[in-house]
Amino acid sequence: MNQTNNSISFFLPTRKGSERVPSKNTRPFAGVKGGLLEIKLKQLLSAQCCSEIILSTDDPNSVEIAEGFNRPDKIKIVVRPDSLCLSTTLVQDLINYVPSVVTSDHIFWLHVTTPFIGAKDYDIACVEYFKALNDGHDSLMSVSKLQQFLWSKEKGDVINFDRSQILWPNTQDLTPLYEINHAFYISSRSNYIEQKDRIGKNPMLYELTGDQKVDIDWGEDFDLAEVLYRLRHHA
């Protein structure tokens, strides 16, 4: 594959042995036999911004689902070492591994657990990423805006406004904070190699809203997301 300065690849990690939700990535979801992985691969295949999908996994079920698409031109299956698929594996170790299997200039790291982020959303994020590079940013990460009363037990006080000035301001006047929601990160391969990180020193914050923020981490998340997905898709 010819690479240019704007070449970008999706990096999609899955693993077997999910502890919170057994077979979370591949069990049937809202009537979809291949579950969240099937949904995500369909979304990624419809996106225009990336030329390839790197599925990094140790899970035979993930491999079977990916191979079922019969798209070796787009989906590259890379078997990840067992040492990088443990519940105790450090994210940092996985970050250091990524540039060894992705050769594109830019890496779009995402997860299957966000079924309400689709192809158009990923394409928009790619456009915004390259705009951000021209504006002085060096990466992009998805976030959720928090503009609520946030209390620090350690501090014994709120952390996003000064109660000596006003005890209870209107929520819209609070200083917003941003939760890194892990839906996706876009960064250059050189950042991974030089900074040992999936973001750079000055990331653009890409705010997700509404259903986009749904992330499936626990059993109840899975159940609620199924209901919402069926409503959205009239399944």
Side-chain angles (χ1 to χ4, degrees), residues 6-61:
N6 286 339
S7 65
I8 185 166
S9 295
F10 287 124
F11 176 76
L12 180 64
T14 68
R15 69 180 183 90
K16 61 184 178 182
S18 173
E19 295 179 355
R20 298 188 187 115
V21 187
S23 303
K24 174 175 63 178
N25 299 321
T26 57
R27 65 192 285 184
F29 176 86
V32 179
K33 183 179 179 182
L36 295 170
L37 177 59
E38 180 179 330
I39 291 169
K40 189 55 62 183
L41 287 174
K42 285 181 178 178
Q43 293 168 338
L44 299 184
L45 286 170
S46 297
Q48 302 298 311
C49 64
C50 296
S51 58
E52 66 178 358
I53 304 162
I54 307 296
L55 176 63
S56 172
T57 189
D58 69 331
D59 180 17
N61 290 332

Side-chain angles (χ1 to χ4, degrees), residues 34 61 91 97 106 125 139 145 170-171 181 199 203-204 214 225-226 235:
N61 290 332
V91 174
Y97 167 77
H106 303 275
S139 52
K145 184 178 180 180
N170 295 326
T171 53
N181 54 38
I199 59 173
M204 171 189 168
V214 173
E226 275 195 302

Side-chain angles (χ1 to χ4, degrees), residues 1 13 19 25 40 57 87 129 149 172 174 217 229 231:
M1 182 179 300
E19 295 179 355
N25 299 321
K40 189 55 62 183
T57 189
S87 60
Y129 167 67
F149 300 102
Q172 65 266 29
L174 294 172
D217 197 25
Y229 191 87
L231 288 172

Side-chain angles (χ1 to χ4, degrees), residues 200-232:
K201 299 296 185 183
N202 185 27
M204 171 189 168
L205 304 185
Y206 187 94
E207 186 179 340
L208 299 182
T209 60
D211 295 350
Q212 293 177 319
K213 296 188 292 184
V214 173
D215 180 70
I216 298 171
D217 197 25
W218 299 89
E220 55 266 34
D221 299 331
F222 192 96
D223 295 339
L224 289 172
E226 275 195 302
V227 173
L228 184 57
Y229 191 87
R230 290 181 188 276
L231 288 172
R232 294 289 183 267

Side-chain angles (χ1 to χ4, degrees), residues 51-90:
S51 58
E52 66 178 358
I53 304 162
I54 307 296
L55 176 63
S56 172
T57 189
D58 69 331
D59 180 17
N61 290 332
S62 291
V63 172
E64 182 180 359
I65 290 168
E67 288 180 339
F69 281 89
N70 194 27
R71 290 296 305 273
D73 59 313
K74 291 282 288 188
I75 302 174
K76 180 181 178 182
I77 301 170
V78 179
V79 178
R80 195 159 76 242
D82 291 341
S83 62
L84 294 176
C85 298
L86 305 173
S87 60
T88 55
T89 297
L90 298 177

